[in-house]
Amino acid sequence: QVQLVESGGGLVQTGGSLRLACAASGRFSTTDVVGWFRQAPGKDRDFVAAISWSGGGKYYADSVSGRFTISGDSAKNTVYLQMNDLKPEDTAVYSCAAGRYMHYDPHKYDYWGQGTQVTVSS
């Protein structure tokens, strides 16, 4: 069973940076993709970025393209999300997920971490 744990959230000012980490344990089986999603209170869970281990492909939501970077470290069994030039609109609970498909639909992912809070103040 895949276990995912997020870390690195916190409170930053507009224009600041944070680096989130998603540490994985257990057997992934056919799972190949790790994605980041975010959800603000009363809002849907939105796609942020995803990475494919087998193909090396990376995809980003338009809202974060050019500001966020997703990367993976196989030795540490960890996927990172580097977030730069943060805006108040980025405030949300950020969760990582593992699944078979590179997709923006959260329902395509099978395993989820507990989430980490990111708050951007002005």
Side-chain angles (χ1 to χ4, degrees):
Q1 185 174 344
V2 177
Q3 304 288 331
L4 304 174
V5 179
E6 302 97 333
S7 62
L11 174 64
V12 297
Q13 295 183 352
T14 298
S17 298
L18 284 173
R19 188 193 191 204
L20 306 184
C22 175
S25 63
R27 296 182 178 180
F28 283 84
S29 185
T30 57
T31 298
D32 179 55
V33 173
V34 174
W36 284 97
F37 295 81
R38 63 187 183 185
Q39 186 171 28
K43 302 294 184 180
D44 292 333
R45 180 172 290 168
D46 293 327
F47 172 79
V48 177
I51 183 171
S52 170
W53 289 109
S54 62
K58 301 176 182 179
Y59 291 91
Y60 299 91
D62 290 342
S63 59
V64 306
S65 180
R67 298 188 297 123
F68 292 10
T69 302
I70 190 170
S71 62
D73 187 336
S74 296
K76 295 183 177 181
N77 216 20
T78 300
V79 171
Y80 301 95
L81 184 69
Q82 178 67 46
M83 307 186 296
N84 298 325
D85 192 24
L86 284 162
K87 306 174 181 179
E89 295 75 27
D90 296 317
T91 295
V93 174
Y94 284 69
S95 301
C96 66
R100 288 179 49 84
Y101 308 106
M102 180 74 71
H103 210 283
Y104 52 79
D105 185 353
H107 297 101
K108 297 294 185 179
Y109 294 79
D110 303 311
Y111 307 96
W112 291 84
Q114 84 288 348
T116 184
Q117 177 71 47
V118 171
T119 303
V120 184
S121 63
S122 59

